[in-house]
């Protein structure tokens, strides 16, 4: 506010005022609270495996079992074409980024309501909560990635320098989950319908992504472009390209990234706008 | 000007009543209300914000300043706006109107143990809770031993806190919060829980904080704690500052001007789920010895508790009773209106009608503190007509009670006046 008064006091001054309209994002403040984000992430992981006998092994078993089911149904029974790649490997390469996305989205969507006891009692940037949910999903992904490497080696596919492309792909996955998750988590504070809807949305989204089938069954041209509106299309195509040497992602990747950007910016603004009322209505 | 810790001007906070009452909105509600808004706008029905009945002003035009190093008490009955004020000051929620400025870090003890996770160990919870309260990791590392010492949980530090007793849990939670070193400490009702020893420790810690020149805002229902810890107190009533004065004066004002009209719980007919029930609770009241409904009674004067109820049919062998508990949930006593065999004979059958069962609590029985009242209406071993373990809470003020010439806290829920004899034997 006015700088003269600020100089007089040694302590930092916080101003309380009514919230109006859209607020910009205070990245500096978020950075100051990075330890909180770390501890919330750590709590999420710790608590999830605390009373499970198999513990973190679940992060390995989940994609592995899903892969087996998919391989039996879509690979062996339905004979879904898999671009000449062994079906188990074909589906696992897609399952990994998909499960990262699905669990990140699922956790983020309910994160604010799940942490309502914090929100109503202590101040901190509310963004810390969905962010920590995203990071917790990332840790699981890291563990299950080892499985993928194992299956790749079994089928004699070796990682190359190209594998480094996975980093931007994973980032894109996380940003997609964050973008949608910000909308859902903020909406869920006011309308609990959201948390009932999320599992269905995730399920429908999975079939709208080339996980059990190959993108090549979508006709080129306008349909392919529309298909690219689903950000997970670009990500999964990218994963297969990098790890299995299939067709390189084309324009769909660009469309996917554009969609994510729009969702993310609008999501952030919506979240920030609603942030100030979370404590009153959660 | 430089020595200011908090300054707020015309602070107001408005809540929507429908949000207060029925929380979870659904999409349907939203759609319906949007239509209503449009309709209202079309017919110019938009009312002035102030007389819109679906809003309440939890805080209304509050202005005050707190100097650095001051310990300020805030009292007021439930719903007076205390919690709202603290929530705004600790930035949990934003004011609807007005401005505030806060010089320095605010540590809030709005409720100790915020963010504690039952599955995590004591050690893990210290780090988690510390981070939530705004401590840096190295800060927690540095104070870790001190926190464990203060909490006295010792060797259980690596046990999941879900296995802790409520006392241990509380001590650990408070220990973390107490070692936060904010410039401004906001404390709300922490002292309402825990045993006397723990309370003594908390008060000591708060005293230390104040001695170190930090600012403390202390909200409590415990008048003796307010008197002991603060020099100046704000009395809030209906969202406004009713008085700001030196603490003894403010406490007197709060206790005597009938501001504390609590001490009564009434049941509306809709609250009775089973309409065919023969027993309907009507009201439970705490009365001082002038017969006024009060939230705070004086231990040395005695008081009464009355339970009003209706019977829609005759009940034989009915006994109507009270439980008294400490806020920690320990029973102080249980009593029934027909405990006396003669009373039991006289009221072997109670015909349909409206009744009041009143119980006189003798002077010099209870220690100071907050107590919880529960009620029970039953026939022995046959039927329970009504039971509610936590109907209302009330305060006992110990002024004039035995031993109050030593201004210390006494252990125990009761503080009876007992016959002592001193004999010189040699």
């Amino acid at each position: 506010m006015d700088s003269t008064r600020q100089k007089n006091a040694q302590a930092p001054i916080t101003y309380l005022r009514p919230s109006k309209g859209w607020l910009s994002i205070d990245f500096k403040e978020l950075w100051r609270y990075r330890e909180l984000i770390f501890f919330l992430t750590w709590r999420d992981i710790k608590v999830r495996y605390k009373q499970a006998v198999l513990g973190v092994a679940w992060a390995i078993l989940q994609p592995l079992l899903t892969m087996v089911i998919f391989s039996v149904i879509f690979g062996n029974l339905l004979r879904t074409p898999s671009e000449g790649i062994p079906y188990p490997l074909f589906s696992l390469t897609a399952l990994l980024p998909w499960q990262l996305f699905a669990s990140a989205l699922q956790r983020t969507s309910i994160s604010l309501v799940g942490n309502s006891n914090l929100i109503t009692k202590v101040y901190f940037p509310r963004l810390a909560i969905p962010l920590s949910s995203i990071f917790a999903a990332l840790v699981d992904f890291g563990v299950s990635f080892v499985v993928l490497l194992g299956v790749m080696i079994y089928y004699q596919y070796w990682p190359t320098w190209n594998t480094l492309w996975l980093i931007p792909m994973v980032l894109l996955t996380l940003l997609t989950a964050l973008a949608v998750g910000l909308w859902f988590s903020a909406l869920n504070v006011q309308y609990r319908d959201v948390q009932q809807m999320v599992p269905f949305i995730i399920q429908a989204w999975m079939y709208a992504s080339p996980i059990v089938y190959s993108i090549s069954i979508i006709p080129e041209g306008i349909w392919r472009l529309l298909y690219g509106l689903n950000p997970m299309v670009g990500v999964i195509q990218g994963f297969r390209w990098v790890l299995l040497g299939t067709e390189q992602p084309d324009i769909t990747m660009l469309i996917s990234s554009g969609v994510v950007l729009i969702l993310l910016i609008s999501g952030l603004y919506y979240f920030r706008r609603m942030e100030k009322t979370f404590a009153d209505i959660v | 000007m430089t020595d200011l810790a908090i300054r707020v001007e015309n602070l107001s906070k408005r809540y929507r009543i429908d949000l207060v009452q029925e929380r979870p909105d659904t999409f349907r509600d939203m759609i319906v209300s949007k239509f209503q808004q449009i309709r209202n706008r079309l017919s110019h029905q938009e009312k002035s914000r102030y007389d819109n009945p679906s809003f309440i002003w939890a805080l209304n035009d509050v202005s005050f300043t707190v100097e650095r190093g001051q310990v300020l008490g805030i009292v007021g009955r439930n719903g007076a706006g205390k919690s709202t004020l603290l929530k705004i000051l600790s930035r949990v929620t934003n004011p609807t109107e007005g401005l505030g400025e806060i010089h320095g870090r605010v540590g809030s003890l709005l409720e100790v143990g915020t963010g504690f996770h039952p599955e995590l160990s004591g050690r893990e919870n210290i780090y988690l809770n510390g981070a939530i309260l705004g401590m840096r990791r190295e800060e927690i590392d540095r104070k870790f031993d001190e926190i464990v010492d203060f909490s006295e949980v010792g060797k259980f530090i690596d046990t999941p806190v879900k296995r802790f007793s409520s006392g241990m849990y509380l001590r650990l939670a408070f220990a973390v919060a107490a070692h936060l070193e904010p410039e401004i400490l906001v404390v709300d009702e922490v002292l309402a829980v825990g045993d006397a020893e723990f309370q003594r420790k908390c008060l000591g810690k708060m005293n230390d904080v104040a001695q170190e020149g930090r600012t403390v805002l202390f909200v409590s229902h415990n008048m003796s704690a307010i008197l002991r810890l603060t020099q100046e107190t704000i009395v809030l009533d209906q969202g406004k500052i009713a008085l700001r004065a030196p603490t003894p004066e403010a406490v007197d004002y709060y206790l005597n001007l009938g501001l504390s009209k609590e001490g009564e719980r009434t049941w509306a007919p809709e609250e009775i789920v089973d309409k065919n029930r023969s027993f309907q609770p009507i009201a439970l009241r705490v009365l001082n010895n002038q017969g006024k409904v009060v939230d705070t009674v004086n231990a040395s004067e005695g008081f009464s508790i009355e339970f009003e109820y209706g019977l829609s049919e005759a009940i034989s062998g009915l006994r109507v009773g009270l439980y008294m508990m400490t806020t920690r949930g320990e029973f102080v006593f249980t009593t029934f209106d027909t405990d006396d065999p003669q009373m039991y004979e006289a009221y072997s059958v109670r015909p349909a009608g409206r009744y009041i069962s009143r119980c006189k609590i003798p002077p010099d029985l209870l220690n100071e503190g907050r107590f919880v009242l529960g009620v029970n209406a039953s026939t022995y071993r046959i039927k329970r007509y009504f039971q509610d373990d936590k109907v209302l809470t009330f305060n006992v003020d110990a002024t004039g009670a035995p031993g109050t010439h030593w201004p210390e806290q006494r252990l125990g829920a009761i503080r009876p006046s007992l016959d002592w004899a001193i004999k010189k034997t040699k």
Side-chain angles (χ1 to χ4, degrees):
Chain A
M1 215 157 67
D2 61 55
S3 52
T4 48
R5 194 171 294 150
Q6 234 159 348
K7 270 178 217 156
N8 290 340
Q10 311 95 329
I13 305 182
T14 315
Y15 294 101
L16 313 169
R17 54 167 74 91
S19 52
K20 286 201 184 78
W22 310 93
L23 294 146
S24 59
I25 298 139
D26 194 344
F27 287 106
K28 240 193 247 161
E29 188 185 41
L30 208 55
W31 178 245
R32 260 189 288 125
Y33 277 87
R34 63 189 180 278
E35 283 185 354
L36 176 63
I37 300 175
F38 167 79
F39 275 115
L40 289 175
T41 307
W42 169 82
R43 175 197 67 177
D44 277 8
I45 298 163
K46 195 116 192 172
V47 166
R48 192 144 44 104
Y49 295 120
K50 199 91 185 185
Q51 276 202 337
V53 179
L54 295 179
V56 190
W58 280 113
I60 294 175
L61 283 174
Q62 271 168 355
L64 214 56
L65 293 175
T66 318
M67 178 194 81
V68 170
I69 295 169
F70 281 6
S71 302
V72 170
I73 295 175
F74 296 102
N76 292 358
L77 297 177
L78 294 174
R79 305 236 162 255
T80 312
S82 55
E83 303 178 37
I85 292 150
Y87 194 86
L89 184 56
F90 176 80
S91 60
L92 188 63
T93 327
L95 269 173
L96 236 58
W98 173 257
Q99 288 193 337
L100 168 63
F101 170 75
S103 85
L105 177 58
Q106 170 77 39
R107 284 150 182 248
T108 316
S109 302
I110 57 169
S111 61
L112 285 178
V113 171
N115 285 293
S116 56
N117 61 333
L118 295 187
I119 291 178
T120 52
K121 305 234 171 64
V122 191
Y123 173 81
F124 54 86
R126 303 316 190 199
L127 264 176
I129 287 180
L131 278 176
S132 66
S133 303
I134 296 274
F135 291 136
L138 188 60
V139 173
D140 273 357
F141 173 79
V143 176
S144 47
F145 194 74
V146 179
V147 184
L148 179 65
L149 286 179
V151 176
M152 276 175 68
I153 290 164
Y154 176 81
Y155 286 108
Q156 317 258 315
Y157 282 82
W158 304 101
T160 60
W161 281 110
N162 242 352
T163 313
L164 286 179
W165 275 102
L166 286 185
I167 295 167
M169 299 290 174
V170 169
L171 200 67
L172 185 62
T173 312
L174 294 179
L175 287 179
T176 311
L178 181 64
V180 183
L182 284 176
W183 275 101
F184 284 179
S185 60
L187 281 169
N188 195 32
V189 170
Q190 205 168 358
Y191 310 107
R192 296 292 147 86
D193 310 57
V194 174
Q195 74 193 52
Q196 307 297 331
M197 271 162 47
V198 167
F200 294 106
I201 291 174
I202 289 178
Q203 203 171 29
W205 201 325
M206 188 185 98
Y207 288 107
S209 310
I211 295 164
V212 297
Y213 53 85
S214 157
I215 191 172
S216 57
I217 66 168
I218 308 291
E220 297 264 358
I222 183 79
W223 289 112
R224 193 61 82 82
L225 293 182
L226 278 178
Y227 194 55
L229 286 176
N230 172 1
M232 287 313 286
V233 169
V235 168
I236 290 166
Q237 215 186 345
F239 257 73
R240 288 203 176 121
W241 161 61
V242 168
L243 295 172
L244 311 175
T246 57
E247 192 186 334
Q248 199 170 338
D250 41 19
I251 182 101
T252 50
M253 194 73 196
L254 219 61
I255 301 174
S256 297
S257 310
V259 170
V260 171
L261 203 66
I262 292 167
L263 279 175
L264 186 63
I265 291 172
S266 61
L268 278 172
Y269 274 109
Y270 181 68
F271 189 91
R272 287 288 293 180
R273 199 175 82 115
M274 299 305 290
E275 185 174 57
K276 297 293 172 184
T277 58
F278 286 162
D280 299 336
I281 57 182
V282 70
Chain B
M1 214 48 199
T2 36
D3 270 351
L4 214 58
I6 300 173
R7 185 172 68 94
V8 298
E9 267 172 28
N10 314 104
L11 217 56
S12 299
K13 176 77 183 179
R14 184 185 60 188
Y15 282 106
R16 261 174 62 192
I17 289 181
D18 50 338
L19 285 183
V20 175
Q21 285 173 343
E22 255 173 67
R23 278 183 311 109
D25 290 12
T26 58
F27 282 127
R28 218 192 95 220
D29 297 340
M30 181 188 72
I31 293 161
V32 170
S33 75
K34 284 279 178 237
F35 273 115
Q36 272 168 355
Q37 273 176 21
I38 294 167
R39 213 172 48 201
N40 287 349
R41 220 168 281 156
L42 288 176
S43 52
H44 305 282
Q45 275 179 342
E46 193 114 44
K47 287 178 191 158
S48 146
R49 305 175 312 137
Y50 284 89
D51 36 64
N52 190 331
S54 62
F55 291 118
I56 50 161
W57 290 87
L59 214 56
N60 201 343
D61 202 13
V62 167
S63 308
F64 64 90
T65 56
V66 185
E67 279 169 26
R68 183 166 303 163
Q70 192 180 3
V71 180
L72 183 72
I74 299 174
V75 299
R77 52 184 158 134
N78 290 337
K82 296 170 305 210
S83 305
T84 307
L85 178 61
L86 292 197
K87 278 189 174 175
I88 292 175
L89 292 178
S90 54
R91 297 175 72 200
V92 168
T93 186
N94 272 21
T96 311
E97 284 172 6
L99 285 175
E101 71 182 52
I102 302 228
H103 299 242
R105 185 160 78 150
V106 177
S108 68
L109 298 186
L110 285 193
E111 201 176 272
V112 287
T114 301
F116 260 47
H117 200 289
E119 295 287 346
L120 299 178
S121 72
R123 180 187 304 274
E124 290 163 341
N125 269 309
I126 290 180
Y127 279 93
L128 178 65
N129 191 228
I132 287 168
L133 295 176
M135 276 194 247
R136 302 195 153 270
R137 193 185 186 143
E138 50 89 21
E139 195 179 341
I140 307 171
D141 282 336
R142 190 155 38 83
K143 292 178 189 158
F144 187 84
D145 293 335
E146 218 180 306
I147 292 173
V148 177
D149 276 354
F150 188 86
S151 71
E152 296 170 12
V153 297
K155 62 179 192 269
F156 297 106
I157 196 67
D158 288 308
T159 311
V161 296
K162 65 177 175 185
R163 308 210 193 288
F164 278 27
S165 70
S166 57
M168 281 162 69
Y169 185 94
L170 204 66
R171 285 203 302 272
L172 184 65
F174 186 82
V176 182
H179 287 80
L180 180 73
E181 285 171 359
E183 281 85 12
I184 299 164
L185 184 68
V186 171
V187 185
D188 186 9
E189 278 298 352
V190 196
L191 306 176
V193 287
D195 53 23
E197 171 63 19
F198 173 70
Q199 294 191 357
R200 194 187 51 74
K201 226 167 148 171
C202 296
L203 290 173
K205 186 73 194 176
M206 278 187 50
N207 243 336
D208 294 349
V209 169
Q211 304 279 304
E212 286 161 23
R214 273 177 280 158
T215 314
V216 181
L217 288 189
F218 182 43
V219 173
S220 182
H221 278 119
N222 184 339
M223 289 304 131
S224 49
I226 291 263
L227 281 165
R228 222 169 311 162
L229 280 166
T230 67
Q231 291 85 48
E232 203 180 10
T233 294
I234 284 178
V235 183
L236 277 180
D237 186 35
Q238 293 174 7
K240 292 187 170 164
I241 294 183
L243 178 75
R244 178 178 179 160
T247 299
E249 194 184 323
V251 168
D252 263 5
Y253 178 87
Y254 172 70
L255 292 178
N256 293 332
L257 275 178
L259 270 180
S260 56
K261 265 185 215 129
E262 290 162 274
E264 177 168 10
R265 156 80 158 107
T266 53
W267 283 269
E270 311 86 76
E271 282 182 75
I272 316 301
V273 190
D274 182 2
K275 297 263 187 274
N276 300 321
R277 274 224 288 230
S278 41
F279 183 96
Q280 303 92 31
I282 296 168
L284 183 73
R285 304 182 187 95
V286 176
L287 307 166
N288 66 9
N289 62 357
Q290 283 100 48
K292 238 173 73 179
V293 175
V294 287
D295 179 50
T296 301
V297 294
N298 189 299
S300 59
E301 285 174 3
F303 60 100
S304 2
I305 300 164
E306 64 175 36
F307 186 31
E308 191 175 355
Y309 51 94
L311 303 182
S312 54
E313 59 185 23
I315 301 177
S316 52
L318 182 70
R319 49 180 198 176
V320 174
L322 297 170
Y323 304 119
M324 191 174 292
M325 277 174 284
T326 64
T327 44
R328 270 181 81 201
E330 292 162 335
F331 281 92
V332 181
F333 61 76
T334 306
T335 178
F336 285 101
D337 57 358
T338 47
D339 278 346
D340 180 353
Q342 278 172 3
M343 286 285 276
Y344 186 66
E345 289 295 316
Y347 289 93
S348 59
V349 179
R350 276 181 233 195
R354 219 168 145 138
Y355 292 85
I356 289 180
S357 291
R358 184 179 297 138
C359 169
K360 270 181 89 100
I361 310 291
D364 293 334
L365 175 69
L366 297 173
N367 199 354
E368 66 187 325
R370 205 156 175 85
F371 291 87
V372 182
L373 279 178
V375 293
N376 173 302
S378 56
T379 45
Y380 176 63
R381 284 201 166 167
I382 298 174
K383 186 167 178 184
R384 189 161 69 206
Y385 291 92
F386 182 77
Q387 179 167 349
D388 187 343
D389 289 352
K390 286 172 190 148
V391 179
L392 59 81
T393 62
F394 68 97
N395 273 317
V396 175
D397 178 62
T399 313
T404 35
H405 47 285
W406 297 298
E408 62 183 356
Q409 215 162 20
R410 282 280 166 104
L411 302 181
I414 60 170
R415 190 172 192 156
S417 173
L418 300 173
D419 263 337
W420 276 92
I422 303 174
K423 219 186 268 172
K424 195 165 185 296
T425 53
K426 239 185 190 175

